[in-house]
Amino acid sequence: MNYKELYSDFGKNLNLSIVKELLKFAAIPGAISFGGGVPDPETFPRKELAEIAKEVIENEYYYTLQYNSTEGDSLLADQMIKFFKKVYGVDNLKHENILFTNGSQQAIDLVTRVLLDKESICIVENPVYFVAFASFKTALPTIIGIPLEDDGMNLDVLENVLQNLDMGGKIKKVKFIYTVPNFHNPAGVTMSLEKRKRLLEIAAKYDLLILEDDPYGLLRFEGKHLPSLFSLAGCERVLLLNTFSKVLTPGLRIGTIVGPKELIEKFADAKQIVDLCSPSLNQRIAARYLQRYDLISQLENAIQIYKRKRDIMVEALANEFSDIPNTRWVKPEGGLFVWLTLSEGFDTLEMLHFAKEKGVFYVPGQLFTVDEKPSSSMRLSYCLPPEEKIIEGVKRLKQAVVEYGVKKGLLR
Ligand SMILES: *Cc1c(COP(=O)(O)O)cnc(C)c1O
């Protein structure tokens, strides 16, 4: 059969073959991968979770092995309200403001389904978290990328874009502004407090919704904690996406959308069609974990692990790349990523073949750029390789850059 003839428009528009191709690269034996943004398994509290899992299956099987409501575990909602109070300083949340999803990715997909269509416009940072971008694209909206700077998106450009849309009578087509303000994936940068405030002023001026994706906020190594957009503006203006994936374990697949009751109900309706409900078992494990342990203090160990790895990578980059002209990166204050940009002319997707030869892997910038054109940047994640491999990996990367650069006449 020609299965292609069966595809819907959605099916036809799915084009993630490049991602699959890249994953194959990462699986080469002996390769050092700076590719995946996945946490270090040593940070997972496996003993604690194993103990709780046994208990909740044995003692609460009537709940944990049963169907759940689409909105999710109300015990977990109680715990999350306390948790959000600690993390975001908000204390007026109710169950009706919360929907649990299968990771934040499902939340992103629900937002796409409920808010976007062909006529819609959505605004993202450029570079953008590519799995969110891929989800938005399935609805075929117009996606406008706003350049990301070392302290967050360029708000002058944003204002300009919005002004033009407004003059063209299209401002009501703008469904949301998507942002990852803390330790951006892939860029590693954090939005300054000034920009957070100004972004909210702009959103208020044009009456726009902000979609704040905050998987990394708790993974701060140093510097001052900044209030989230959600903390500053509340859930009328800001839809907050939070997840346990980077701070507890992605294996539980627990994400949370926090927002106004009306939208949350709509997302719940959409979720019911997608999967009826998220796993009761996982949610109850997380609820009991939060009851018993203070996740924030439990994270100290993970933060130390990642901070050390970050330091090692940044130092290795300084050692290896100081003699490669126009190479730049920002030392992230938290999170899992360094965004390395080479001088113009480098195409990091093409260069990946050189990196493969050397046995090192990264994610080419092209995947994260809104226009999907060749990019001289790459995302390096330091979370997974052991410390000594990070140093070795950066050395290999340098070799690949030199070989590619010389071959292309970009370096002498
Ligand atoms: C990892 C990540 C997510 C999604 O994680 P889930 O495992 O689906 O919760 C969402 N947004 C960003 C920016 C991420 O880096």
Side-chain angles (χ1 to χ4, degrees), residues 363-377:
V363 186
Q366 186 166 339
L367 261 73
F368 304 98
T369 41
V370 174
D371 62 13
E372 299 172 77
K373 293 219 176 90
S375 161
S376 64
S377 300

Side-chain angles (χ1 to χ4, degrees), residues 37-39 101-108 128-132 178-180 182-186 213-216 241-246 249-251 253-256 336-337 379:
V38 302
T101 53
N102 269 301
S104 277
Q105 188 57 33
Q106 183 178 50
I108 290 167
V128 58
Y129 173 54
F130 76 86
V131 205
Y178 172 69
T179 175
V180 182
N182 293 317
F183 322 126
H184 190 269
N185 180 1
D213 189 3
D214 188 27
Y216 302 108
L241 306 186
N242 194 280
T243 173
F244 282 152
S245 288
K246 315 296 173 18
T249 154
R253 305 305 300 132
I254 295 179
T256 316
L336 307 177
F337 309 109
R379 189 188 77 179

Side-chain angles (χ1 to χ4, degrees), residues 153-169:
M153 68 171 102
N154 183 326
L155 296 179
D156 294 335
V157 174
L158 176 69
E159 283 217 274
N160 220 323
V161 163
L162 293 175
Q163 211 167 28
N164 287 335
L165 288 171
D166 197 23
M167 287 189 316

Side-chain angles (χ1 to χ4, degrees), residues 37 48 55 59 68 87 89 118 155 160 187 209 211 224 239 266 305 330 381:
E48 293 84 346
E55 279 173 28
N59 306 335
N68 193 350
V87 177
K118 274 195 192 121
L155 296 179
N160 220 323
L209 185 70
L211 182 57
K224 227 177 80 210
L239 259 182
K266 205 62 172 170
I305 292 176
V330 176
S381 67

